[in-house]
Amino acid sequence: MAELVYRKARSEAEKLLDRCWDGSYPVKLRPFNTELNADAYASDLGNDLSGVVSKEQGKPAKIILNSRHVSRRNRFTWAHELGHVVERRSVANDDEYSFEELKRGQAYDLHEFFADEFAGSLLMPKDEIERLRSFGYSAVDLAEYFDVSVDAVKKRINRLAKNPE
């Protein structure tokens, strides 16, 4: 089952990139909000939450990012929350939902796996990672290039190694 989830998440990210990405790095997320009818903003979510996405029927999805977090972390959280929007729309055909992203200790289910895989694929496309690594880019270099955390880069590289296309 997880294999199908990672493929669907990657495929959905690629479709979104094809529809509204300008091809520049780091990937800008605001155009995806427009495409997916979602609003994103930062607010103080305390120490335990990284982000929240909620959607009421017939209204735009609302993504809230923790203003206490650095921008690189929030970029991945934002892309992760967009992954929930895409999953609920394309997989579940659901127009009303809510997800909270806890910093640690959260139960990791297929919804979270989909959103993480989607975010990694959206922000760090496989072909670009491979191209840059062929030039000797380190995880730190890649994090700078994609404007994400080193941990996000390492997780993406590990997932690509574990589940290549």
Side-chain angles (χ1 to χ4, degrees), residues 2-164:
E3 180 181 8
L4 298 175
V5 173
Y6 88 78
R7 284 187 180 157
K8 182 67 172 171
R10 290 177 184 178
S11 170
E12 290 297 324
E14 288 169 11
K15 285 192 259 184
L16 192 58
L17 286 167
D18 287 344
R19 283 197 313 268
C20 54
W21 177 44
D22 67 6
S24 67
Y25 290 99
V27 173
K28 296 169 195 72
L29 293 173
R30 192 73 50 201
F32 303 127
N33 276 16
T34 302
E35 178 73 14
L36 297 172
N37 192 26
D39 298 322
Y41 56 94
S43 185
D44 188 339
L45 297 176
N47 293 324
D48 296 329
L49 285 175
S50 294
V52 175
V53 62
S54 63
K55 173 135 182 14
E56 294 179 35
Q57 191 167 6
K59 295 183 180 180
K62 291 182 184 178
I63 296 170
I64 306 170
L65 307 169
N66 196 332
S67 61
R68 293 183 184 193
H69 294 178
V70 298
S71 72
R72 285 186 174 184
R73 180 181 175 112
N74 271 337
R75 276 179 45 75
F76 192 88
T77 300
W78 184 355
H80 175 101
E81 301 304 344
L82 288 172
H84 284 306
V85 172
V86 167
E87 182 214 13
R88 301 319 301 163
R89 176 188 281 183
S90 70
V91 177
N93 198 23
D94 190 1
D95 193 40
E96 193 167 7
Y97 50 84
S98 179
F99 291 92
E100 292 181 341
E101 305 312 317
L102 299 174
K103 279 175 49 177
R104 289 183 182 81
Q106 175 176 332
Y108 197 74
D109 60 18
L110 289 178
H111 299 292
E112 297 308 313
F113 180 82
F114 181 99
D116 275 349
E117 193 66 27
F118 176 89
S121 298
L122 192 71
L123 294 172
M124 300 169 274
K126 177 186 172 218
D127 291 345
E128 189 69 358
I129 285 179
E130 290 175 350
R131 185 183 78 78
L132 295 172
R133 289 185 79 198
S134 75
F135 293 126
Y137 276 54
S138 68
V140 172
D141 297 328
L142 291 168
E144 180 74 24
Y145 182 83
F146 291 116
D147 196 20
V148 296
S149 70
V150 173
D151 285 343
V153 168
K154 288 179 178 178
K155 182 179 260 187
R156 175 76 170 137
I157 289 170
N158 288 337
R159 286 204 171 150
L160 288 171
K162 183 177 180 180
N163 295 308

